[in-house]
Amino acid sequence: MIEARIQLNRGSFSLDAKLSVPGRGVTALFGPSGSGKTTLLRAIAGLDRHADAYLKVGDTVWQDRGTFVPPHRRPLGYVFQEGSLFAHCSVIKNLEYGFKRIPHGSRRISLDRAVELFELSPLLDRRPTDLSGGEMRRVAIARALLTSPRLLLMDEPLSGLDLERKGTIMRILERLRDELDIPMLFVSHLPDEVAQLADHLIYIRNGTISAEGASEDIFSRLDLPLAHEPDAGVMIRTIAAARDEEYQLSRLEFDGGIFMVARDAGPIGRPVRIRIPARDVSLTLSRHSDTSILNVLPATVEEIVEGASAQVMVRLRVGGSLLLARITSKSAMALDLQPGKGVFAQVKSVALLDET
Amino acid sequence: MREFIYRSATVTVALFGLASFQADALDIRVAAASNISRPMKSIAAQFESNTSHKVLLSFGSTGMHYAQIRNGAPFDLFFAADEERPERLEAEGVAVPSTRITYAIGHLVLWSPEKDRVDSEGRILVQSSFEWLAIANPKHAPYGRAAREALESLEIWDVIQRQIVRGENVAQAYQFVATGNAEIGLIAYSQIRRANAETAGSWWRVPQSMYTPIRQQAVLLKDRPAARDFLRFTSRNEAKKILRDFGYEVPTERDAGGK
Amino acid sequence: MLAENDLSALGTTLRLAFVTTLILLLLGTPLAWWLARTRNRCKVVVDAVVSLPLVLPPTVIGFYLLLALGPRGPIGGLMERLGGQSLAFTFAGLVIGSVVYSLPFVVQPLQDAFTSVGRRPFEEAATLRAGPLDRFFTIAVPLARHGYLTAMVLGFAHTIGEFGVVLMIGGNIPGETHVLSIAIYDHVEALEYGRAHLLSGLLIVLSFLMLLPVYALNRRYRMGRVS
């Protein structure tokens, strides 16, 4: 839906990005700090004008050699980092700002709906200076949404929040993803956030886009620097299947088997995303029953790549999903791991990405 | 005997001269009206070359000088643009008694920088064929007062009110006319008189009968011999010639003293 | 208590200050806005020119205005060609002089206020569908409110005290160009010290009463409460 090509040189920083963002679902612009994510986001919004840029949204060209559609004419919503708001307006006035400026016919979200969705009723008459970080964030997202944008852009929507607030905002964003039909593009450098929220990833590093694709695929690729990060690991979509009250365990089903997690995964039938850090996956050649590890899954080795400090990353296929394991070179040698070999993956910990 | 007296007299006079040289070889501070700046500079230069004194001239508005002197400004002499201020200083005991003299008499002219604007009888005033007439402020400037008197004599003072523009002093009135903002102005003859060249523009010398003579008076403020010398010098022929060259009338012996 | 002449001087002074301030707010707003936002290299030159009246003696401004308004000057010549009256010795001429004289006192507070707003609020507004003019009126002006107050009061107070410029081009016409500062000067020259004291006192009190709220409000603003 969005095709963009941006090229710019600013002193020591240069950006050469060519990307396409799907017209549905949530896409994350993901990469380490300073990689140019925010620059790219701002360029898409038209906040910075770059000479060498091309931007096409749907069938409309927003930026070209001779064309530049200014930001106020682009049907985008933008949530700035730290959720900044107009200091001289109350919360309700902030919310109304964009809302009032779009024609009646274009309003797909009503003020009341937004207030309800974001739980803003007690806050309406307050000034931004009297709001907490989390509250400001909610107002900022609501404000952007009230312009009924064709695309919602968010710059690090969860940064600077404590764990609890992050959870609240995350839940709101998930609701937006699942209930509204507005595609979202957000910037983040945290894999957990990205894994929980995004369906599609654009991985950017040092001003260039290294990879694009579905979240699960990107997280499981060994050819990206991502795989060599300390917290590298896959994301798998599961469904909550059963709950064992006696042992306080939840059963998650996916297309490669099941996971048992010592956490409450919520109501049965609920989609749950999980992340499995590669360092928490160990491999055996035969199934052990005398182990404390709950989750042992049969898997096939697909690819092995050497990493730093005598370690290797192994990509495994588990049914329809992929798993990453990081083990020592020595072990890899000892187990004689090769592509195609059948093994058992022992998953020591599973991170539930949406805690209720 | 005669020779002895003659010689001692010479020595005494010489000694006196020497003594006075040393005692009075200090600067003379003079406050003078702005309108006499040019003649006063010449007179002072002449004085300095004749004697060994140095004259420090401060030019400004008479009103300001008066206020400053009343508040202790360290001037030795005050050359005003009018009679009133020196009179006051004398009456208030600030000036040295019996030193007030008229050093110059100013004359009022109606002037335009354009050649054929002002006729030789000043009829343009009565005909009212001009936009602005510049005068000095009659409230406090001597030339302004004189202008008002002249216009009253011509019986046009009330009629002409809307066309009058006031400068704070006659120098400003001159500026208004010189820059063309006012076509004509009642100013001082000394402002347009050029010693070596013909006067530019056209003018009418307002008859003395139409206004009270503008007597510019001076008064001694500090009783110092050098200051007295300078004051006396301004009544001497050399000084008078300079003043006349600059367009001032100088008082005859009769009216050289205070009124 | 006040003589008629002095009363009229007060009236003329207030009228002059009012008109000048109004014109300066209208002219100064786009100028201050541009200065606050531009990255153009000419900015430093314009900044310096705007600041000139801060350091130039008012008599210099008045003198050149006198020449400019005269028949041989650029403004006077133009007026003549347009068939209009000369602006010297008129209230309008004084307004021109006062606008130049008080320019930095209005432009600089506005410029500072606009600068302190920063870029972010405008970016936010742009993403919320506000065009440039809309952003100016709904974001810049409210957030720069304190700057407007300061600019208004300083411009007004500064013009009330104007002397040098009026001296040069006023012509002391009652009801038109006879302002308070000139009236005081005239009283002093005419040795009417009592009247001079009265008017000077009035001027001091007036100025003080105008400046006090500005500084009180600025203090409130600086302590974090956007008034």
Side-chain angles (χ1 to χ4, degrees):
Chain A
M1 181 212 170
I2 297 182
E3 284 167 48
R5 197 198 63 236
I6 317 257
Q7 263 177 328
L8 70 97
N9 268 305
R10 230 192 328 189
S12 53
F13 174 74
S14 67
L15 182 68
D16 187 353
K18 185 166 179 300
L19 58 99
S20 47
V21 179
R24 311 213 59 208
V26 180
T27 306
L29 257 180
F30 171 55
S33 299
S35 52
K37 311 188 292 293
T38 302
T39 311
L40 201 45
L41 201 73
R42 287 173 60 91
I44 293 174
L47 292 172
D48 298 318
R49 187 173 178 162
H50 301 297
D52 245 320
Y54 174 79
L55 189 62
K56 182 170 165 195
V57 177
D59 296 319
T60 332
V61 173
W62 282 359
Q63 192 165 347
D64 205 346
R65 278 265 149 211
T67 328
F68 180 78
V69 177
H72 66 278
R73 294 226 191 90
R74 301 189 187 192
L76 297 169
Y78 197 106
V79 180
F80 289 82
Q81 202 160 5
E82 272 119 39
S84 52
L85 300 171
F86 296 135
H88 63 292
C89 299
S90 62
V91 166
I92 185 70
K93 284 264 171 283
N94 262 282
L95 292 173
E96 285 173 351
Y97 193 87
F99 187 71
K100 280 197 299 203
R101 282 164 173 77
I102 51 167
H104 267 276
S106 312
R107 295 178 188 168
R108 281 164 32 228
I109 303 175
S110 71
L111 253 177
D112 292 331
R113 178 92 169 91
V115 170
E116 180 233 346
L117 197 67
F118 289 83
E119 291 166 30
L120 299 175
S121 333
L123 307 174
L124 290 178
D125 290 319
R126 298 227 209 129
R127 293 254 152 172
T129 42
D130 300 328
L131 298 175
S132 72
E135 288 166 342
M136 272 181 74
R137 209 63 64 92
R138 280 192 273 145
V139 178
I141 300 172
R143 184 179 71 172
L145 264 182
L146 278 165
T147 60
S148 299
R150 279 170 62 193
L151 174 68
L152 183 62
L153 303 173
M154 294 183 280
D155 192 353
E156 309 255 8
L158 301 170
S159 79
L161 295 174
D162 62 41
L163 218 55
E164 199 185 319
R165 307 277 172 275
K166 267 202 214 221
T168 319
I169 303 292
M170 184 60 95
R171 265 190 290 286
I172 290 176
L173 293 176
E174 285 175 320
R175 268 187 84 180
L176 291 181
R177 175 191 65 198
D178 300 331
E179 290 176 31
L180 296 177
D181 198 13
I182 299 179
M184 299 194 275
L185 174 64
F186 75 98
V187 157
S188 174
H189 62 282
L190 297 174
D192 275 354
E193 282 177 18
V194 167
Q196 184 172 350
L197 211 47
D199 305 315
H200 187 90
L201 285 195
I202 298 173
Y203 184 64
I204 179 169
R205 202 181 159 89
N206 285 334
T208 34
I209 295 186
S210 313
E212 274 183 73
S215 306
E216 297 98 314
D217 293 334
I218 302 289
F219 276 117
S220 63
R221 278 169 61 168
L222 293 181
D223 59 336
L224 296 175
L226 202 51
H228 301 278
E229 302 277 319
D231 55 357
V234 297
M235 184 271 276
I236 296 180
R237 296 181 203 250
T238 72
I239 298 196
R243 176 105 184 119
D244 182 342
E245 284 304 338
E246 195 193 343
Y247 287 110
Q248 300 276 302
L249 293 173
S250 294
R251 185 186 158 110
L252 303 173
E253 281 178 7
F254 73 107
D255 60 354
I258 56 165
F259 284 109
M260 300 294 284
V261 291
R263 228 72 62 81
D264 187 353
I268 311 244
R270 188 172 91 99
V272 177
R273 297 192 192 192
I274 57 174
R275 241 171 68 79
I276 300 172
R279 60 173 174 253
D280 289 337
V281 179
S282 59
L283 304 175
T284 62
L285 294 177
S286 55
R287 190 196 266 279
H288 290 257
S289 49
D290 51 349
T291 171
S292 65
I293 295 175
L294 279 174
N295 299 304
V296 180
L297 301 155
T300 316
V301 174
E302 269 199 3
E303 197 187 335
I304 304 168
V305 161
E306 262 181 44
S309 35
Q311 292 191 318
V312 296
M313 282 293 275
V314 184
R315 188 169 76 238
L316 306 148
R317 184 157 280 286
V318 184
S321 295
L322 294 163
L323 204 59
L324 288 182
R326 181 180 279 144
I327 57 177
T328 60
S329 317
K330 184 167 173 177
S331 304
M333 196 63 163
L335 295 175
D336 188 29
L337 292 180
Q338 285 168 53
K341 186 149 186 163
V343 295
F344 286 91
Q346 295 175 123
V347 180
K348 183 151 187 265
S349 84
V350 170
L352 236 64
L353 288 176
D354 16 19
E355 309 253 10
T356 39
Chain B
M1 191 55 184
R2 217 180 344 168
E3 205 177 272
F4 174 75
I5 295 171
Y6 181 70
R7 228 187 283 141
S8 9
T10 318
V11 170
T12 313
V13 168
L15 277 173
F16 248 49
L18 218 65
S20 51
F21 177 89
Q22 276 162 333
D24 298 339
L26 301 160
D27 303 337
I28 305 168
R29 294 184 146 78
V30 177
S34 304
N35 67 22
I36 50 157
S37 53
R38 278 180 303 146
M40 190 52 84
K41 282 184 193 159
S42 287
I43 293 172
Q46 189 80 292
F47 182 74
E48 283 177 344
S49 65
N50 289 1
T51 69
S52 48
H53 299 309
K54 193 147 164 24
V55 182
L56 298 174
L57 295 165
S58 299
F59 294 109
S61 94
T62 295
M64 284 306 151
H65 280 149
Y66 170 79
Q68 287 167 353
I69 290 165
R70 286 281 275 110
N71 286 296
F75 292 114
D76 299 308
L77 285 163
F78 179 30
F79 283 80
D82 62 0
E83 312 170 73
E84 188 188 345
R85 258 64 77 105
E87 252 176 16
R88 283 208 181 209
L89 287 176
E90 197 181 49
E92 287 158 356
V94 177
V96 178
S98 308
T99 55
R100 187 162 54 95
I101 59 157
T102 302
Y103 66 93
I105 299 176
H107 272 288
L108 196 64
V109 293
L110 178 70
W111 175 69
S112 159
E114 277 171 50
K115 265 256 161 255
D116 299 308
R117 210 74 172 78
V118 179
D119 57 285
S120 55
E121 267 146 65
R123 263 193 294 260
I124 180 175
L125 277 178
V126 188
Q127 282 162 2
S128 216
S129 52
F130 55 89
E131 207 189 334
W132 292 112
L133 164 70
I135 65 174
N137 195 331
K139 202 165 131 136
H140 55 73
Y143 282 90
R145 241 176 262 144
R148 179 177 174 152
E149 286 175 355
L151 291 169
E152 281 172 338
S153 306
L154 287 170
E155 290 174 353
I156 55 172
W157 173 250
D158 294 311
V159 169
I160 217 177
Q161 275 305 294
R162 306 212 123 265
Q163 291 166 280
I164 289 182
V165 74
R166 278 162 270 259
E168 287 309 310
N169 48 44
V170 72
Q172 258 218 322
Y174 174 81
Q175 269 167 34
F176 288 156
V177 186
T179 55
N181 285 291
E183 290 127 80
I184 53 175
L186 280 165
I187 56 174
Y189 180 54
S190 56
Q191 288 174 310
I192 60 170
R193 160 77 195 249
R194 290 279 171 275
N196 306 315
E198 216 193 280
T199 306
S202 47
W203 77 96
W204 170 55
R205 194 177 167 108
V206 181
Q208 184 66 79
S209 53
M210 288 195 181
Y211 60 96
T212 320
I214 302 169
R215 273 188 266 262
Q216 301 198 209
Q217 297 198 320
V219 77
L220 184 70
L221 300 172
K222 296 219 176 29
D223 202 345
R224 289 170 49 216
R228 277 195 186 261
D229 284 347
F230 185 69
L231 187 59
R232 249 196 308 267
F233 183 76
T234 60
S235 305
R236 298 259 283 273
N237 286 331
E238 294 162 85
K240 286 189 174 177
K241 178 173 186 315
I242 292 173
L243 284 165
R244 265 197 300 265
D245 282 344
F246 276 96
Y248 289 91
E249 202 187 299
V250 287
T252 59
E253 291 311 316
R254 192 167 21 99
D255 52 12
K259 225 176 14 173
Chain C
M1 194 171 66
L2 274 183
E4 196 197 310
N5 216 13
D6 290 340
L7 216 56
S8 119
L10 179 64
T12 309
T13 304
L14 290 175
R15 243 189 336 135
L16 182 65
F18 184 75
V19 172
T20 301
T21 306
L22 194 65
I23 292 180
L24 277 175
L25 285 174
L26 289 172
L27 288 180
T29 295
L31 181 58
W33 178 246
W34 181 80
L35 282 170
R37 315 271 293 163
T38 190
R39 283 185 256 227
N40 196 324
R41 245 170 277 192
C42 288
K43 175 184 183 308
V44 281
V45 176
V46 179
D47 259 332
V49 170
V50 166
S51 305
L52 269 178
L54 284 175
V55 295
L56 278 180
T59 35
V60 170
I61 301 174
F63 178 59
Y64 280 119
L65 205 60
L66 187 66
L67 294 178
L69 293 179
R72 282 168 297 227
I75 304 177
L78 185 67
M79 292 299 291
E80 217 164 286
R81 264 196 299 274
L82 294 176
Q85 302 271 43
S86 158
L87 287 174
F89 319 130
T90 60
F91 184 76
L94 276 197
V95 170
I96 296 178
S98 308
V99 163
V100 173
Y101 173 72
S102 297
L103 183 71
F105 290 81
V106 171
V107 170
Q108 285 181 354
L110 287 182
Q111 188 182 342
D112 289 343
F114 287 145
T115 306
S116 73
V117 172
R119 292 202 174 264
R120 179 57 64 85
F122 297 108
E123 289 183 340
E124 287 177 44
T127 65
L128 294 169
R129 307 281 172 282
L133 218 61
D134 191 350
R135 294 200 289 268
F136 178 75
F137 285 108
T138 57
I139 307 292
V141 173
L143 284 176
R145 220 176 346 201
H146 68 288
Y148 270 95
L149 183 67
T150 306
M152 266 195 320
V153 174
L154 283 187
F156 196 84
H158 195 239
T159 307
I160 286 193
E162 184 179 342
F163 177 73
V165 180
V166 184
L167 187 69
M168 294 303 273
I169 60 162
N172 215 338
I173 300 177
E176 277 275 315
T177 61
H178 181 66
V179 296
L180 219 53
S181 50
I182 299 281
I184 294 172
Y185 180 83
D186 284 348
H187 286 314
V188 171
E189 281 291 298
L191 310 175
E192 295 165 352
Y193 290 162
R195 301 265 280 274
H197 276 308
L198 189 64
L199 290 183
S200 302
L202 182 66
L203 209 53
I204 292 176
V205 170
L206 213 66
S207 306
F208 186 73
L209 287 176
M210 281 190 282
L211 292 174
L212 203 61
V214 174
Y215 285 96
L217 267 142
N218 266 344
R219 189 167 167 272
R220 265 185 78 202
Y221 174 75
R222 238 172 261 132
M223 293 176 106
R225 298 166 59 195
V226 181
S227 54

